[in-house]
Amino acid sequence: MSMRRMRANDLWKLAACNLDPLTETYSYSFYCDYLIRWPTLCRVLEGPTGKIEAYILGKIEDSPFPTPNPPYDPDTNTDDRYLPWHAHITAVTVAPQYRRIGHATRLVRALETAADAQDAWFVDLFVRVDNEVAIGFYKKLGYSVFRRIPGYYNDKDDAFDMRKPLKRDKDRKHIRENGENYSVDPHDVW
């Protein structure tokens, strides 16, 4: 099995990975946008027969509006909505028959390494609050809940915003204790 960058023709091979009610699926144009804009953060694990066993979609960005007190410093940031340069895991999924053998861990660590190389402060992701398996998985990898977002998903389920600080955030200023108890309006999340 090998890890490599996702290619556009891989999109026709993702069905086995996406057959999970907790996996968010997207339009082909959405996937293609990621492949064009963040190719180093979109990877697949391909088996010896060419079957896609798992994939990750990620991006790296900062807030769409300027930092309140340039240059950005976590100690002087006056706007809780402002997000500095960070990586985001949009999706990570593994085909059912390939679960529990380390595929998701390999993909997440590869994304973290790529984000560190681009000097990101942290990696974040959104997960349904009732997805205990995923929450436990991310906690084992060093992620913690930063905040709760009531009604985040289309079906109005709540989400946790989970984060893991990277090398740039050596003082761990972009995480908080008891984030499960800190709620924000979904309109303040982009």
Side-chain angles (χ1 to χ4, degrees), residues 10 63-64 157 159-160 173 175:
D10 292 328
S63 287
D157 276 358
F160 284 143
K173 301 234 175 185
I175 59 172

Side-chain angles (χ1 to χ4, degrees), residues 19 27 48 61 84 91 94 129-130 133:
L19 294 176
S27 68
E61 63 185 357
V94 180
V129 298
D130 61 354
V133 172

Side-chain angles (χ1 to χ4, degrees), residues 92-103:
V92 60
T93 190
V94 180
Q97 64 270 37
Y98 300 105
R99 291 185 181 159
R100 309 246 186 255
I101 58 174
H103 282 11

Side-chain angles (χ1 to χ4, degrees), residues 80-98:
D80 283 345
R81 295 173 305 134
Y82 180 80
L83 292 176
W85 189 246
H86 69 285
H88 176 75
I89 297 173
T90 300
V92 60
T93 190
V94 180
Q97 64 270 37
Y98 300 105

Side-chain angles (χ1 to χ4, degrees), residues 128-184:
R128 291 176 184 270
V129 298
D130 61 354
N131 190 345
E132 294 174 10
V133 172
I135 292 165
F137 165 74
Y138 288 116
K139 284 184 175 182
K140 284 181 188 173
L141 293 179
Y143 289 76
S144 61
V145 175
F146 183 72
R147 58 189 175 172
R148 183 183 191 115
I149 309 162
Y152 175 78
Y153 290 100
N154 287 337
D155 61 7
K156 300 303 178 201
D157 276 358
D158 292 2
F160 284 143
D161 176 357
M162 297 185 76
R163 293 185 181 182
K164 180 179 181 178
L166 296 176
K167 291 176 186 173
R168 186 174 185 182
D169 190 11
K170 57 185 173 286
D171 296 326
R172 303 173 63 84
K173 301 234 175 185
H174 296 90
I175 59 172
R176 67 167 55 102
E177 295 293 322
N178 303 311
E180 296 88 347
N181 301 323
Y182 185 87
S183 292
V184 296

